[in-house]
Amino acid sequence: QVQLVESGGGLVQPGGSLRLSCAASGSIFSINAMGWYRQAPGKQRVLVAVITSGGTTNYADSVKGRFTISRDNAKNTVYLQMNSLKPEDTAVYYCNGEVVVRITTTLTAPYDYWGQGTQVTVSS
């Protein structure tokens, strides 16, 4: 089985910074894209940032220039550096990864996995 475990959330004042981490573990053959999503109270879960296995990144317009996504493929870990945080960034942040697992000795398949979420609160 595969698990994604997030860490690094918390309470921060407007203008502050936080760094989220998400480590994948288990029966991993490889990991394709990894990303961060967030869900504010009463709203749908939305994409914040995504990074491919090759390092190509994409960001939601609302976080461009403030957030940076990165990954350490050797550690199966993705990071989200969040700077200049605003109250509207308050949400539960979820890690997502397309993890390739070995099915048989000659067969692999990709599956979508989610972390449990970590709360980020931006408030004075």
Side-chain angles (χ1 to χ4, degrees):
Q1 299 300 319
V2 174
Q3 286 188 320
L4 272 61
V5 179
E6 300 114 333
S7 61
L11 172 64
V12 63
Q13 292 186 342
S17 298
L18 280 176
R19 188 192 195 209
L20 305 183
S21 299
C22 172
S25 63
S27 302
I28 299 170
F29 179 78
S30 64
I31 304 178
N32 296 329
M34 300 187 79
W36 289 95
Y37 291 71
R38 67 186 181 187
Q39 186 167 18
K43 295 187 177 182
Q44 290 187 330
R45 190 175 299 186
V46 296
L47 176 68
V48 175
V50 63
I51 183 168
T52 68
S53 58
T56 300
T57 59
N58 193 29
Y59 297 91
D61 288 342
S62 59
V63 307
K64 282 182 181 177
R66 300 187 298 123
F67 290 11
T68 302
I69 189 170
S70 61
R71 65 189 284 173
D72 185 333
N73 291 331
K75 295 181 179 180
N76 291 330
T77 300
V78 64
Y79 306 96
L80 186 68
Q81 178 66 44
M82 305 185 292
N83 299 327
S84 303
L85 282 161
K86 305 175 181 179
E88 50 263 43
D89 294 318
T90 295
V92 178
Y93 284 70
Y94 296 91
C95 172
N96 172 265
E98 185 180 75
V99 181
V100 179
V101 301
R102 185 177 294 282
I103 305 300
T104 68
T105 55
T106 58
L107 179 65
T108 60
Y111 292 91
D112 203 46
Y113 290 93
W114 291 88
Q116 80 285 358
T118 184
Q119 177 70 46
V120 172
T121 302
V122 184
S123 175
S124 55

